[in-house]
Amino acid sequence: MRLGAVIITMGDRPGELRALIDSVARQEGEPVEVVVVGNGAPVGDVPAGVRTVELPENLGIPGGRNVGIEAFGPAGRDVDVLLFLDDDGCLPNADTARLVREAFTADPRLGVVSFRIADPDTGRTQRRHVPRLRASDPMRSSRVTTFLGGASAVRTRVIAEVGPLPGEFFYAHEETDLAWRALDAGWMIDYRADLVLTHPTTQPSRHAVYHRMVARNRVWLARRNLPLPVVPCYLGVWLLLTLFRSPSRAALTAWFGGFREGWATPCGPRRPMKWRTVWRLTRLGRPPVI
Protein backbone atom coordinates (compact mmCIF):
# COMPACT_ATOMS: atom_id res chain seq x y z
CA MET A 1 0.00 0.00 0.00
CA ARG A 2 1.53 3.27 -1.18
CA LEU A 3 1.49 6.20 1.25
CA GLY A 4 1.98 9.89 0.57
CA ALA A 5 2.00 12.84 2.96
CA VAL A 6 0.69 16.37 2.37
CA ILE A 7 2.04 19.15 4.56
CA ILE A 8 0.97 22.77 4.11
CA THR A 9 3.08 25.56 5.55
CA MET A 10 3.13 29.34 5.76
CA GLY A 11 6.92 29.21 5.86
CA ASP A 12 7.12 30.56 9.41
CA ARG A 13 8.05 27.33 11.24
CA PRO A 14 11.10 25.94 9.43
CA GLY A 15 12.45 24.07 12.45
CA GLU A 16 9.15 22.35 13.20
CA LEU A 17 8.62 21.56 9.51
CA ARG A 18 12.03 19.91 9.26
CA ALA A 19 11.36 17.87 12.42
CA LEU A 20 8.05 16.66 10.99
CA ILE A 21 9.62 15.67 7.66
CA ASP A 22 12.38 13.82 9.51
CA SER A 23 9.77 11.95 11.58
CA VAL A 24 8.03 10.85 8.36
CA ALA A 25 11.36 9.68 6.93
CA ARG A 26 11.94 7.52 10.03
CA GLN A 27 8.78 5.47 9.45
CA GLU A 28 9.12 1.72 9.10
CA GLY A 29 8.54 0.05 5.74
CA GLU A 30 8.40 1.58 2.30
CA PRO A 31 9.25 5.32 2.25
CA VAL A 32 6.37 7.77 2.48
CA GLU A 33 6.53 10.30 -0.35
CA VAL A 34 6.18 13.87 0.96
CA VAL A 35 4.78 16.98 -0.73
CA VAL A 36 5.09 20.33 1.06
CA VAL A 37 2.79 23.11 -0.12
CA GLY A 38 3.84 26.70 0.55
CA ASN A 39 0.46 28.33 1.07
CA GLY A 40 1.21 31.81 -0.24
CA ALA A 41 4.76 31.65 1.13
CA PRO A 42 8.12 30.12 0.20
CA VAL A 43 8.66 26.62 1.54
CA GLY A 44 12.32 27.12 2.40
CA ASP A 45 14.93 24.38 2.62
CA VAL A 46 13.65 20.80 2.75
CA PRO A 47 15.53 17.48 2.54
CA ALA A 48 16.36 15.97 -0.82
CA GLY A 49 13.52 13.92 -2.26
CA VAL A 50 10.76 16.08 -0.75
CA ARG A 51 8.65 17.71 -3.43
CA THR A 52 7.44 21.28 -2.99
CA VAL A 53 4.67 23.43 -4.45
CA GLU A 54 4.70 27.17 -3.80
CA LEU A 55 1.39 28.99 -4.24
CA PRO A 56 1.29 32.72 -5.05
CA GLU A 57 -1.52 33.25 -2.53
CA ASN A 58 -2.87 31.62 0.61
CA LEU A 59 -5.71 29.31 -0.43
CA GLY A 60 -6.60 28.39 3.14
CA ILE A 61 -6.25 25.01 4.78
CA PRO A 62 -8.55 22.97 2.49
CA GLY A 63 -7.36 24.76 -0.64
CA GLY A 64 -3.72 24.14 0.21
CA ARG A 65 -4.34 20.48 1.01
CA ASN A 66 -6.25 20.04 -2.24
CA VAL A 67 -3.21 21.29 -4.15
CA GLY A 68 -1.12 18.75 -2.25
CA ILE A 69 -3.55 16.00 -3.20
CA GLU A 70 -3.29 16.86 -6.88
CA ALA A 71 0.52 16.75 -6.65
CA PHE A 72 0.02 12.97 -6.38
CA GLY A 73 -2.02 12.88 -9.57
CA PRO A 74 -5.75 13.52 -10.08
CA ALA A 75 -7.47 12.87 -6.73
CA GLY A 76 -4.11 11.59 -5.45
CA ARG A 77 -4.32 8.40 -7.50
CA ASP A 78 -0.53 7.83 -7.53
CA VAL A 79 -0.81 6.63 -3.91
CA ASP A 80 -3.39 4.60 -2.00
CA VAL A 81 -3.54 6.68 1.19
CA LEU A 82 -2.60 10.27 1.96
CA LEU A 83 -1.46 11.50 5.36
CA PHE A 84 -2.43 15.08 6.20
CA LEU A 85 -0.04 16.48 8.81
CA ASP A 86 0.22 19.91 10.46
CA ASP A 87 3.61 21.48 9.86
CA ASP A 88 4.22 22.02 13.59
CA GLY A 89 3.38 18.41 14.46
CA CYS A 90 5.61 15.36 14.67
CA LEU A 91 5.19 11.59 14.45
CA PRO A 92 6.91 10.33 17.62
CA ASN A 93 6.55 6.64 16.79
CA ALA A 94 8.24 4.92 13.85
CA ASP A 95 5.40 2.41 13.37
CA THR A 96 2.66 4.91 12.44
CA ALA A 97 2.89 4.33 8.68
CA ARG A 98 2.89 0.56 9.21
CA LEU A 99 -0.21 0.74 11.41
CA VAL A 100 -1.94 2.94 8.84
CA ARG A 101 -1.20 0.42 6.09
CA GLU A 102 -2.47 -2.43 8.25
CA ALA A 103 -5.68 -0.57 9.14
CA PHE A 104 -6.65 0.20 5.56
CA THR A 105 -5.65 -3.25 4.33
CA ALA A 106 -7.70 -5.01 7.00
CA ASP A 107 -10.90 -2.99 6.37
CA PRO A 108 -11.73 -2.29 2.70
CA ARG A 109 -14.54 0.10 3.71
CA LEU A 110 -12.32 2.18 5.99
CA GLY A 111 -12.04 5.57 4.32
CA VAL A 112 -10.46 7.84 6.92
CA VAL A 113 -8.34 7.41 10.06
CA SER A 114 -8.06 10.23 12.59
CA PHE A 115 -4.93 10.26 14.76
CA ARG A 116 -4.69 11.20 18.43
CA ILE A 117 -3.06 14.59 18.97
CA ALA A 118 -0.94 14.84 22.12
CA ASP A 119 1.05 17.69 23.59
CA PRO A 120 4.78 16.89 23.18
CA ASP A 121 5.61 17.94 26.74
CA THR A 122 2.64 16.74 28.80
CA GLY A 123 1.24 13.98 26.58
CA ARG A 124 -2.21 15.47 27.16
CA THR A 125 -4.88 15.29 24.46
CA GLN A 126 -7.31 18.20 24.38
CA ARG A 127 -10.96 17.23 24.51
CA ARG A 128 -11.65 19.08 21.25
CA HIS A 129 -9.16 16.79 19.51
CA VAL A 130 -11.24 13.68 20.17
CA PRO A 131 -13.72 13.65 17.27
CA ARG A 132 -16.78 12.36 19.13
CA LEU A 133 -19.22 13.61 21.75
CA ARG A 134 -18.04 11.21 24.47
CA ALA A 135 -14.50 12.55 24.53
CA SER A 136 -13.49 12.09 28.17
CA ASP A 137 -11.22 9.14 27.37
CA PRO A 138 -8.88 10.04 24.49
CA MET A 139 -7.17 6.64 24.80
CA ARG A 140 -10.28 4.83 23.57
CA SER A 141 -10.35 4.16 19.84
CA SER A 142 -13.74 4.08 18.11
CA ARG A 143 -15.74 4.61 14.95
CA VAL A 144 -16.48 8.33 14.55
CA THR A 145 -18.27 10.73 12.23
CA THR A 146 -15.53 13.29 11.54
CA PHE A 147 -11.75 13.58 11.77
CA LEU A 148 -8.86 15.90 12.57
CA GLY A 149 -7.61 17.49 9.37
CA GLY A 150 -3.98 17.98 10.39
CA ALA A 151 -3.53 14.51 11.86
CA SER A 152 -5.24 12.04 9.59
CA ALA A 153 -5.00 9.52 6.78
CA VAL A 154 -7.48 9.39 3.90
CA ARG A 155 -7.86 6.66 1.29
CA THR A 156 -7.52 8.34 -2.11
CA ARG A 157 -10.45 6.31 -3.47
CA VAL A 158 -12.64 8.35 -1.11
CA ILE A 159 -11.42 11.59 -2.66
CA ALA A 160 -11.91 10.21 -6.16
CA GLU A 161 -15.46 9.13 -5.29
CA VAL A 162 -16.83 12.04 -3.23
CA GLY A 163 -14.55 14.90 -4.20
CA PRO A 164 -11.86 16.92 -2.39
CA LEU A 165 -12.05 19.17 0.63
CA PRO A 166 -14.31 22.23 0.15
CA GLY A 167 -11.76 24.88 -0.78
CA GLU A 168 -14.23 27.73 -0.31
CA PHE A 169 -14.36 27.02 3.45
CA PHE A 170 -10.76 28.33 3.79
CA TYR A 171 -10.66 27.41 7.50
CA ALA A 172 -12.95 25.39 9.83
CA HIS A 173 -15.34 22.44 9.32
CA GLU A 174 -13.84 21.33 6.00
CA GLU A 175 -13.06 17.90 7.49
CA THR A 176 -16.67 17.36 8.57
CA ASP A 177 -17.89 18.28 5.10
CA LEU A 178 -15.66 15.59 3.57
CA ALA A 179 -16.49 13.13 6.37
CA TRP A 180 -20.25 13.44 5.84
CA ARG A 181 -19.87 12.92 2.10
CA ALA A 182 -17.69 9.88 2.71
CA LEU A 183 -20.14 8.37 5.21
CA ASP A 184 -22.99 9.01 2.80
CA ALA A 185 -21.06 7.01 0.17
CA GLY A 186 -20.67 4.07 2.56
CA TRP A 187 -17.15 4.66 3.90
CA MET A 188 -16.21 4.42 7.57
CA ILE A 189 -14.06 6.67 9.77
CA ASP A 190 -11.95 5.50 12.71
CA TYR A 191 -10.35 7.42 15.56
CA ARG A 192 -7.16 5.57 16.53
CA ALA A 193 -5.62 6.45 19.89
CA ASP A 194 -2.48 4.46 19.07
CA LEU A 195 -1.67 6.64 16.06
CA VAL A 196 -0.15 9.77 17.58
CA LEU A 197 0.84 13.17 16.25
CA THR A 198 2.50 15.38 18.84
CA HIS A 199 1.44 19.02 18.58
CA PRO A 200 1.74 21.96 21.00
CA THR A 201 -1.44 22.69 22.93
CA THR A 202 -3.22 25.64 21.31
CA GLN A 203 -6.63 27.28 21.16
CA PRO A 204 -8.34 27.71 17.79
CA SER A 205 -9.59 31.15 18.83
CA ARG A 206 -5.98 32.40 18.44
CA HIS A 207 -6.87 32.95 14.77
CA ALA A 208 -8.39 36.39 14.19
CA VAL A 209 -11.01 35.00 11.78
CA TYR A 210 -11.97 32.03 13.97
CA HIS A 211 -15.45 33.05 15.18
CA ARG A 212 -16.64 34.39 11.82
CA MET A 213 -15.48 31.41 9.79
CA VAL A 214 -16.70 28.84 12.31
CA ALA A 215 -20.20 30.32 12.09
CA ARG A 216 -20.20 30.89 8.33
CA ASN A 217 -18.91 27.42 7.55
CA ARG A 218 -21.33 25.82 9.99
CA VAL A 219 -24.18 27.27 7.92
CA TRP A 220 -22.51 26.23 4.66
CA LEU A 221 -21.98 22.72 6.04
CA ALA A 222 -25.68 22.38 6.81
CA ARG A 223 -26.86 23.92 3.56
CA ARG A 224 -24.60 21.67 1.49
CA ASN A 225 -25.12 18.35 3.23
CA LEU A 226 -28.22 18.04 5.42
CA PRO A 227 -31.80 17.19 4.46
CA LEU A 228 -33.89 20.35 4.63
CA PRO A 229 -35.86 19.41 7.81
CA VAL A 230 -32.59 18.85 9.69
CA VAL A 231 -30.97 22.17 8.75
CA PRO A 232 -32.84 24.39 11.28
CA CYS A 233 -32.41 21.79 14.02
CA TYR A 234 -28.64 21.59 13.49
CA LEU A 235 -28.11 25.35 13.28
CA GLY A 236 -30.52 26.05 16.14
CA VAL A 237 -28.63 23.72 18.46
CA TRP A 238 -25.31 25.36 17.58
CA LEU A 239 -26.76 28.82 18.10
CA LEU A 240 -27.87 27.83 21.60
CA LEU A 241 -24.51 26.21 22.37
CA THR A 242 -22.69 29.34 21.27
CA LEU A 243 -24.81 31.53 23.54
CA PHE A 244 -24.41 29.05 26.42
CA ARG A 245 -20.62 29.27 26.17
CA SER A 246 -20.86 33.04 26.79
CA PRO A 247 -18.19 34.31 24.39
CA SER A 248 -17.01 37.91 24.58
CA ARG A 249 -19.06 40.64 22.93
CA ALA A 250 -16.50 40.94 20.11
CA ALA A 251 -16.48 37.19 19.54
CA LEU A 252 -20.28 37.03 19.53
CA THR A 253 -20.49 39.92 17.08
CA ALA A 254 -18.06 38.14 14.75
CA TRP A 255 -19.98 34.87 15.14
CA PHE A 256 -23.33 36.42 14.19
CA GLY A 257 -21.67 38.21 11.28
CA GLY A 258 -20.40 34.87 10.02
CA PHE A 259 -23.79 33.25 10.60
CA ARG A 260 -25.46 35.87 8.41
CA GLU A 261 -22.71 35.51 5.81
CA GLY A 262 -23.34 31.77 5.68
CA TRP A 263 -26.92 32.39 4.57
CA ALA A 264 -26.17 35.30 2.23
CA THR A 265 -23.31 33.79 0.23
CA PRO A 266 -23.02 30.75 -2.09
CA CYS A 267 -22.07 27.57 -0.25
CA GLY A 268 -21.12 25.40 -3.22
CA PRO A 269 -23.08 22.44 -4.59
CA ARG A 270 -25.86 21.05 -2.43
CA ARG A 271 -25.89 17.25 -2.12
CA PRO A 272 -28.09 16.36 0.87
CA MET A 273 -27.18 13.12 2.57
CA LYS A 274 -29.58 10.19 2.52
CA TRP A 275 -31.88 9.68 5.49
CA ARG A 276 -30.17 6.35 6.13
CA THR A 277 -26.94 8.32 6.57
CA VAL A 278 -28.68 10.52 9.16
CA TRP A 279 -29.61 7.34 11.00
CA ARG A 280 -26.09 5.97 10.55
CA LEU A 281 -24.60 9.11 12.12
CA THR A 282 -27.06 8.75 14.98
CA ARG A 283 -26.06 5.12 15.58
CA LEU A 284 -22.41 6.16 15.57
CA GLY A 285 -23.15 8.50 18.46
CA ARG A 286 -23.40 11.89 16.75
CA PRO A 287 -26.73 12.67 15.08
CA PRO A 288 -26.37 15.61 12.67
CA VAL A 289 -28.07 18.07 14.98
CA ILE A 290 -24.91 18.68 17.05
Side-chain angles (χ1 to χ4, degrees):
M1 181 168 286
R2 301 161 299 170
L3 299 189
V6 173
I7 304 168
I8 58 173
T9 184
M10 298 291 291
D12 53 353
R13 294 188 281 235
E16 293 90 336
L17 174 62
R18 181 59 183 257
L20 171 61
I21 294 171
D22 289 346
S23 74
V24 175
R26 288 193 298 269
Q27 294 299 303
E28 300 169 358
E30 291 295 316
V32 179
E33 186 177 353
V34 177
V35 169
V36 180
V37 178
N39 215 354
V43 171
D45 293 332
V46 295
V50 173
R51 288 191 289 156
T52 62
V53 181
E54 293 186 352
L55 303 177
E57 62 177 314
N58 182 359
L59 299 183
I61 294 174
R65 287 188 179 136
N66 285 341
V67 170
I69 292 169
E70 293 300 306
F72 289 95
R77 68 183 181 191
D78 294 344
V79 294
D80 300 299
V81 173
L82 281 172
L83 310 181
F84 296 107
L85 306 172
D86 276 352
D87 68 340
D88 54 346
C90 186
L91 298 175
N93 303 321
D95 63 352
T96 301
R98 174 175 61 82
L99 293 173
V100 166
R101 288 186 174 100
E102 291 174 356
F104 283 102
T105 300
D107 186 352
R109 296 311 300 168
L110 180 62
V112 183
V113 172
S114 190
F115 299 177
R116 179 168 64 88
I117 295 178
D119 184 274
D121 298 320
T122 66
R124 178 177 174 267
T125 296
Q126 292 180 273
R127 187 181 182 93
R128 70 184 182 91
H129 284 153
V130 183
R132 59 175 179 248
L133 291 180
R134 295 173 180 170
S136 59
D137 182 8
M139 302 306 294
R140 179 174 67 87
S141 300
S142 68
R143 284 265 152 99
V144 290
T145 62
T146 188
F147 65 99
L148 308 173
S152 60
V154 179
R155 195 188 295 267
T156 53
R157 280 181 55 202
V158 173
I159 299 167
E161 185 173 340
V162 307
L165 293 157
E168 57 267 46
F169 278 39
F170 197 85
Y171 167 80
H173 303 318
E174 67 273 3
E175 303 96 342
T176 300
D177 186 89
L178 177 59
W180 282 0
R181 285 182 279 130
L183 288 164
D184 197 47
W187 296 98
M188 301 303 296
I189 304 170
D190 280 355
Y191 167 71
R192 288 280 297 264
D194 58 333
L195 299 177
V196 180
L197 180 90
T198 55
H199 186 283
T201 297
T202 57
Q203 293 299 326
S205 55
R206 71 190 185 279
H207 299 293
V209 297
Y210 170 76
H211 296 286
R212 178 178 70 85
M213 288 197 173
V214 160
R216 182 198 68 182
N217 293 358
R218 184 81 67 185
V219 177
W220 282 358
L221 182 68
R223 290 175 58 197
R224 286 164 59 99
N225 295 288
L226 293 179
L228 282 177
V230 183
V231 172
C233 300
Y234 177 79
L235 296 177
V237 166
W238 277 104
L239 172 61
L240 293 175
L241 281 174
T242 300
L243 295 173
F244 177 77
R245 290 168 177 169
S246 303
S248 67
R249 181 181 294 273
L252 198 59
T253 299
W255 193 94
F256 274 107
F259 192 82
R260 288 191 295 270
E261 184 182 348
W263 287 107
T265 54
C267 64
R270 173 170 165 75
R271 299 186 181 95
M273 65 178 64
K274 308 174 190 72
W275 282 104
R276 68 184 182 193
T277 305
V278 173
W279 175 237
R280 189 178 182 198
L281 289 165
T282 303
R283 288 190 292 111
L284 287 170
R286 191 153 194 167
V289 294
I290 187 170

